[in-house]
């Protein structure tokens, strides 16, 4: 699972502790590294990321909480996306599944308390 270390690092950077005043954190370097964040759409709040369930003719965009990056089913889906689309996607991350398949994975994640937030997924048109 090549995505796991990347997303663990991403999750660590986006966690609330990254914004603390700890002396070991170089805020200037963090801001420089996150300069790509300026291109993030306004509907993607801190602690969330956008994906697109795109298989067949139907495509549905989701804004998903970062906590889902600990879900083994979701991580498998990310690995499958890397195999299908490559690791150099730009924009919204495309996942090779139908809308209902992603919803089931995310719902299963909520049921097993993988996510701590009550509002962990937002479907967008």
């Amino acid at each position: 699972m090549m995505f796991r270390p990347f997303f663990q690092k991403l999750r660590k950077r986006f966690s609330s502790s990254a914004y603390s005043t700890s002396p070991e954190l170089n805020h200037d370097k963090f801001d420089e590294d996150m300069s790509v964040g300026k291109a993030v759409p306004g509907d993607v709040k801190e602690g969330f990321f956008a994906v697109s369930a795109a298989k067949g003719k139907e495509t549905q965009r989701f804004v998903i909480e970062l906590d889902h990056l600990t879900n083994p089913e979701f991580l498998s889906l990310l690995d499958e996306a890397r195999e299908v689309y490559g690791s150099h996607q730009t924009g919204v991350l495309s996942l090779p599944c139908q809308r209902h398949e992603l919803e089931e994975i995310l719902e299963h994640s909520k049921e097993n308390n993988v996510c701590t937030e009550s509002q962990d997924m937002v479907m967008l048109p």
Side-chain angles (χ1 to χ4, degrees):
M1 292 192 177
M2 288 183 61
F3 281 114
R4 186 168 295 193
F6 169 77
F7 282 113
Q8 287 173 341
K9 184 176 179 181
L10 180 68
R11 184 164 193 231
K12 183 177 177 182
R13 286 202 172 184
F14 277 113
S15 72
S16 60
S17 64
Y19 292 100
S20 70
T21 57
S22 63
E24 62 274 354
L25 181 64
N26 180 342
H27 291 280
D28 294 331
K29 177 71 173 145
F30 180 79
D31 290 341
E32 181 182 314
D33 289 345
M34 298 310 295
S35 63
V36 174
K38 294 176 186 174
V40 175
D43 63 335
V44 181
K45 296 184 262 180
E46 184 177 324
F48 290 77
F49 64 104
V51 298
S52 176
K55 189 174 189 180
K57 295 179 183 178
E58 182 183 351
T59 299
Q60 178 72 48
R61 184 172 177 266
F62 292 81
V63 177
I64 300 174
E65 188 176 10
L66 287 173
D67 284 348
H68 284 288
L69 296 175
T70 61
N71 178 349
E73 289 177 283
F74 189 76
L75 291 174
S76 293
L77 191 55
L78 290 175
D79 283 335
E80 189 177 336
R82 180 182 47 82
E83 291 173 17
V84 172
Y85 303 116
S87 58
H88 299 289
Q89 292 188 53
T90 57
V92 174
L93 180 64
S94 294
L95 301 175
C97 65
Q98 294 180 342
R99 175 189 55 81
H100 69 87
E101 293 171 319
L102 181 56
E103 288 172 343
E104 287 176 14
I105 290 172
L106 298 176
E107 189 62 35
H108 183 252
S109 179
K110 276 177 53 175
E111 289 172 2
N112 291 316
N113 295 322
V114 174
C115 292
T116 56
E117 297 279 332
S118 60
Q119 182 181 2
D120 63 344
M121 172 187 67
V122 178
M123 284 191 314
L124 301 170

